[in-house]
Amino acid sequence: MTQHLSSSPTSQSVAVLMGGTSSERSVSLSSGKAVTAALKEAGHHVHALDVGPDITTTIAALKACRPTVVFNALHGPGGEDGAIQGVLEWLGLPYTHSGILASAIAMNKATTRMALQAAGLPVAEGCLITPAALIDHAPLPAPYVLKPVAEGSSVGVHILHQDDESTRRTIAESWTYGPQILAEHFIPGRELTVAVLGDTPLAVTEILPQEGGGFYDFAAKYQANGSRHIIPAPLPASITERALTLACQAHHALGCKGASRTDYRYDEQTHQLVILEVNTQPGMTATSLLPEQATARGVSYPQLCDWLIKDALGQTSPLTFTSLPSTHTA
């Protein structure tokens, strides 16, 4: 069985935005360098732009190189929250991935929860709390997770398996991620993710941190050998299909474009599958989760990067996806 997306051999002038000023700057630089090399391999004329704190410098660089299209390889605040998207809209430049509204909604975990709940999609029980209120009382029965409202890559995430006033106070007094904290019920089980390209869910990947199968934190995501990925994840057929379907539904509920990635927790004991977040700017190194799933479906990394810029320009034609082997469990 094959599915089709689109690609075209037409050469374009592409500006790749990378770096930025968020806590994910190093990740974005890795993504941007890999994308730059892949787009050159695909035959495009590429301008690699390191985005710094002065946006006027970036605007001047974009005006100087006059690209046909922009590949957004930025991560974190400023890069995937609608900010750079607004600049590119103002400049009249087509760009990859989601637009202003979808980016802003998805970057804010509280608004993401609201949008997903409104669409009838499963999220963990949760609430917003201030650091001061966290000192006074537990936001939820333990175990629960505390996370920044608008950071990516698991930055600032704490899991409290037992409620402890001293721990809550330490977290609250050192909190640097804004005036609110998102608290969510901790879902035990397995870490899964599904990338969507266009309207096609690619695969279900299971993510296993190397150190004893613990929390998939920043180090597990980006350090060498920090985690291993199983594609396709060995799951009951019904859970695989549900994860694929929910990823497409989440993609559309938030108004995403191009590519997105939906992350889950799956509790095998209760068969509960819960959406953790939707990423509108998935990592784009050649071994990141989205490119890894595309490769597993027969789409090379240069083809993926090429498709994303053609999608931004509305210049698409069929690209074949291969089927994955079955690894369904009982």
Side-chain angles (χ1 to χ4, degrees), residues 17 34-35 61 165 192 238 278 300 313:
L17 300 184
V35 167
E165 182 180 350
L192 308 175
S238 61
V278 179
S300 71
L313 290 166

Side-chain angles (χ1 to χ4, degrees), residues 190 192-195 201-206 230-248 264 266 271 273 293 297 324-330:
R190 299 161 66 180
L192 308 175
T193 193
V194 175
L202 298 182
V204 184
T205 298
E206 180 169 10
I230 302 175
I231 312 173
L235 296 163
S238 61
I239 299 299
T240 294
E241 289 306 312
R242 180 159 170 74
L244 294 171
T245 299
L246 287 174
C248 275
Y264 305 91
Y266 170 54
H271 300 292
L273 185 65
Q293 289 191 3
R297 295 295 305 274
L324 291 168
S326 174
T327 59
H328 296 319
T329 62

Side-chain angles (χ1 to χ4, degrees), residues 7-12 42-44 306 310 315 317:
S7 188
S8 153
T10 307
S11 177
Q12 303 290 341
H44 300 290
D306 178 73
K310 299 300 172 55
Q315 301 174 359
S317 60

Side-chain angles (χ1 to χ4, degrees), residues 25-325:
R25 174 176 169 80
S26 62
V27 181
S28 174
L29 287 172
S30 295
S31 288
K33 289 173 183 176
V35 167
T36 296
L39 289 174
K40 287 180 178 178
E41 183 179 337
H44 300 290
H45 183 59
V46 185
H47 311 270
L49 304 181
D50 186 343
V51 178
D54 185 356
I55 192 61
T56 61
T57 301
T58 299
I59 292 171
L62 286 167
K63 288 181 175 180
C65 68
R66 302 175 63 185
T68 309
V69 62
V70 173
F71 194 110
N72 182 12
L74 294 168
H75 301 311
E80 58 181 305
D81 58 2
I84 196 66
Q85 290 81 2
V87 171
L88 296 173
E89 293 277 0
W90 178 65
L91 292 172
L93 291 172
Y95 55 91
T96 61
H97 301 82
S98 295
I100 298 171
L101 182 59
S103 299
I105 292 172
M107 188 65 197
N108 186 298
K109 294 180 177 67
T111 57
T112 297
R113 285 174 53 84
M114 292 172 61
L116 295 177
Q117 286 178 311
L121 305 182
V123 296
E125 176 188 356
C127 63
L128 288 172
I129 190 170
T130 65
L134 180 64
I135 295 174
D136 291 337
H137 63 274
L140 296 167
Y144 58 89
V145 183
L146 300 173
K147 58 180 72 173
V149 173
E151 289 284 345
S153 293
S154 302
V155 172
V157 175
H158 300 270
I159 301 174
L160 280 72
H161 292 282
Q162 295 181 336
D163 185 50
D164 175 6
E165 182 180 350
S166 174
T167 301
R168 283 192 279 112
R169 178 177 292 276
T170 298
I171 293 170
E173 291 179 346
S174 61
W175 191 259
T176 59
Y177 304 106
Q180 293 183 309
I181 302 171
L182 176 61
E184 289 184 326
H185 176 64
F186 174 73
I187 306 296
R190 299 161 66 180
E191 193 97 19
L192 308 175
T193 193
V194 175
V196 174
L197 199 56
D199 290 317
T200 302
L202 298 182
V204 184
T205 298
E206 180 169 10
I207 304 162
L208 298 171
Q210 294 286 39
E211 296 299 324
F215 172 48
Y216 187 49
D217 60 8
F218 190 94
K221 289 180 179 181
Y222 301 118
Q223 287 183 2
N225 301 315
S227 64
R228 61 190 179 95
H229 305 159
I230 302 175
I231 312 173
L235 296 163
S238 61
I239 299 299
T240 294
E241 289 306 312
R242 180 159 170 74
L244 294 171
T245 299
L246 287 174
C248 275
Q249 291 174 338
H251 183 92
H252 291 295
L254 271 59
C256 298
K257 183 177 180 294
S260 71
R261 201 191 74 237
T262 298
D263 298 338
Y264 305 91
R265 290 286 281 187
Y266 170 54
D267 185 345
E268 291 181 286
Q269 302 303 314
T270 63
H271 300 292
Q272 184 182 23
L273 185 65
V274 168
I275 297 175
L276 296 178
E277 63 180 319
V278 179
N279 301 275
T280 57
Q281 294 285 138
M284 280 298 296
T285 68
T287 56
S288 295
L289 291 157
L290 164 62
E292 195 174 49
Q293 289 191 3
T295 298
R297 295 295 305 274
V299 177
S300 71
Y301 184 67
Q303 284 178 307
L304 170 63
C305 294
D306 178 73
W307 184 86
L308 284 166
I309 64 167
K310 299 300 172 55
D311 177 68
L313 290 166
Q315 301 174 359
T316 51
S317 60
L319 174 69
T320 300
F321 282 116
T322 57
S323 296
L324 291 168

